[in-house]
């Protein structure tokens, strides 16, 4: 075991302790998969990441660093808030990208480009592994699990970009915020719920006036159904679905975490064929861990 540089980062917020926390071990060299998983489980956070030098193939393709992403019990090929938080920690620790203003992350799904968007970082949404409408049996099950009528689900789609999200749109943000999901019904599904807030497409610079959607994410946790404070992978997949289907403008802000006392803000923008998903990050803990 050795002392390794460490940061705990709050992601999708500019105000500490209002977003989604992430543990980042800035030097994972020599650690086994088992050691990474054990540390992740110990942190009791939704994810922990371990930064490594890129593989030779990744370096040749422009990768600046490699990251392995873990949640309790398993490794993930991709996740959004760990991508932004890891990049924030890497830059804060003195990381220098090969190309100024652009960072390329290597992870389980391949290379993920990131860019700086003012004071925020944004990642390019990876391609969907599975898309298209859900089967009706799934939609009916999700409606029962959410405690809403089937007719309240206006639209639905697979939103699988690594995590196996199923996305549903309800009638309003208020309905999304009022949900009290039944863990006995939804306990085996990853479900993302989105509801429009105000006039979709009216995007302002302030959160109070500029939020287009309220988002909630439910997934199987250690003790049944869990809710994620702010979810980059889900918001990336939702953006691809909603913009592609004409249900959202090409630029919008989503809020997430409201019911958990958080104030997550996810900034989405389509630029050509790429959808960028961004947010602020704040380092809350900096030091070393023994691993």
């Amino acid at each position: 075991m050795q002392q390794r540089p460490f940061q705990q980062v709050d992601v999708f917020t500019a105000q500490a302790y209002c977003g989604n926390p992430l543990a980042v071990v800035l030097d994972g060299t020599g650690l086994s998969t088992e050691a990474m998983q054990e540390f992740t489980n110990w942190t009791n956070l939704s994810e922990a990441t371990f930064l490594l030098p890129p593989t030779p193939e990744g370096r040749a393709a422009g990768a600046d660093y490699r990251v392995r992403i873990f949640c309790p019990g398993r490794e993930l090929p991709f996740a959004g808030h760990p991508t932004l938080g890891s990049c924030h920690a890497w830059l804060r620790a003195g990381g220098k990208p090969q190309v100024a203003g652009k960072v390329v992350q290597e992870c389980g799904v391949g290379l993920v480009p990131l860019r700086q968007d003012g004071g925020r970082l944004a990642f390019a949404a990876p391609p969907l592994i599975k898309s298209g409408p859900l089967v009706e049996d799934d939609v009916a099950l999700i409606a029962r699990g959410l405690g809403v009528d089937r007719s309240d689900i206006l639209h639905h789609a697979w939103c699988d970009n690594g995590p196996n999200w199923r996305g549903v749109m309800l009638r309003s943000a208020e309905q999304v915020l009022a949900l009290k999901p039944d863990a006995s019904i939804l306990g085996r599904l990853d479900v993302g719920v989105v509801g429009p807030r105000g006039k979709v497409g009216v995007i302002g610079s302030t959160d109070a006036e500029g939020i287009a959607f309220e988002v909630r994410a439910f997934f199987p946790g250690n003790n049944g159904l869990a809710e994620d404070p702010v979810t980059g992978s889900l918001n990336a997949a939702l953006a691809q679905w909603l913009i592609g289907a004409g249900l959202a403008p090409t630029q919008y802000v989503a809020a997430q975490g409201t019911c958990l006392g958080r104030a997550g803000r996810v900034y989405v923008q389509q630029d050509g064929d790429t959808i960028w998903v961004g947010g602020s990050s704040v380092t809350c803990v900096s030091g070393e861990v023994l691993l």
Side-chain angles (χ1 to χ4, degrees), residues 51 62-67 69 77-79 82-84 86-87 103-107 110-114:
L51 302 191
D64 294 297
Y65 63 86
R66 181 163 67 100
V67 64
I69 304 168
F78 170 78
T83 292
L84 292 184
S86 295
C87 185
V103 178
V104 179
Q105 171 184 287
E106 183 180 11
C107 59
L111 302 183
V112 177
L114 295 103

Side-chain angles (χ1 to χ4, degrees), residues 23-245:
V24 184
V25 177
L26 289 152
D27 178 11
T29 305
L31 286 174
S32 67
T33 297
E34 292 75 19
M36 293 180 183
Q37 186 68 70
E38 184 179 58
F39 178 75
T40 299
N41 295 345
W42 177 81
T43 67
N44 205 32
L45 298 177
S46 59
E47 280 104 355
T49 63
F50 301 82
L51 302 191
L52 300 157
T55 63
E57 297 78 11
R59 170 66 72 176
D64 294 297
Y65 63 86
R66 181 163 67 100
V67 64
R68 294 184 67 180
I69 304 168
F70 290 80
C71 68
R74 62 192 173 109
E75 185 171 3
L76 301 174
F78 170 78
H81 106 271
T83 292
L84 292 184
S86 295
C87 185
H88 167 86
W90 182 77
L91 290 170
R92 187 174 181 271
K96 302 293 183 184
Q98 296 184 56
V99 179
K102 177 183 177 182
V103 178
V104 179
Q105 171 184 287
E106 183 180 11
C107 59
V109 296
L111 302 183
V112 177
L114 295 103
R115 69 180 185 183
Q116 289 187 303
D117 181 15
R120 299 185 292 266
L121 290 167
F123 65 85
L128 293 175
I129 298 170
K130 189 174 185 179
S131 59
L134 303 174
V135 298
E136 182 55 36
D137 285 350
D138 274 1
V139 181
L141 180 69
I142 290 169
R144 291 201 308 275
L146 294 177
V148 300
D149 292 335
R150 168 61 183 88
S151 60
D152 289 325
I153 296 180
L154 304 183
H155 307 281
H156 54 83
W158 278 102
C159 294
D160 185 353
N161 54 9
N164 200 26
W165 293 109
R166 293 166 171 85
V168 296
M169 176 183 276
L170 302 187
R171 296 180 181 277
S172 68
E174 291 74 20
Q175 191 174 29
V176 171
L177 292 173
L179 291 174
K180 297 186 183 300
D182 187 334
S184 67
I185 297 175
L186 296 182
R188 295 184 179 179
L189 301 180
D190 296 322
V191 179
V193 189
V194 60
R197 182 172 178 177
K199 295 182 178 179
V200 177
V202 180
I203 306 300
S205 59
T206 62
D207 291 336
E209 298 297 328
I211 299 171
F213 295 101
E214 196 77 38
V215 174
R216 296 180 72 180
F218 305 104
F219 62 96
N222 290 335
N223 299 303
L225 193 68
E227 180 169 359
D228 198 41
V230 203
T231 318
S233 62
L234 173 61
N235 277 281
L238 287 175
Q240 289 164 292
W241 164 40
L242 297 174
I243 293 174

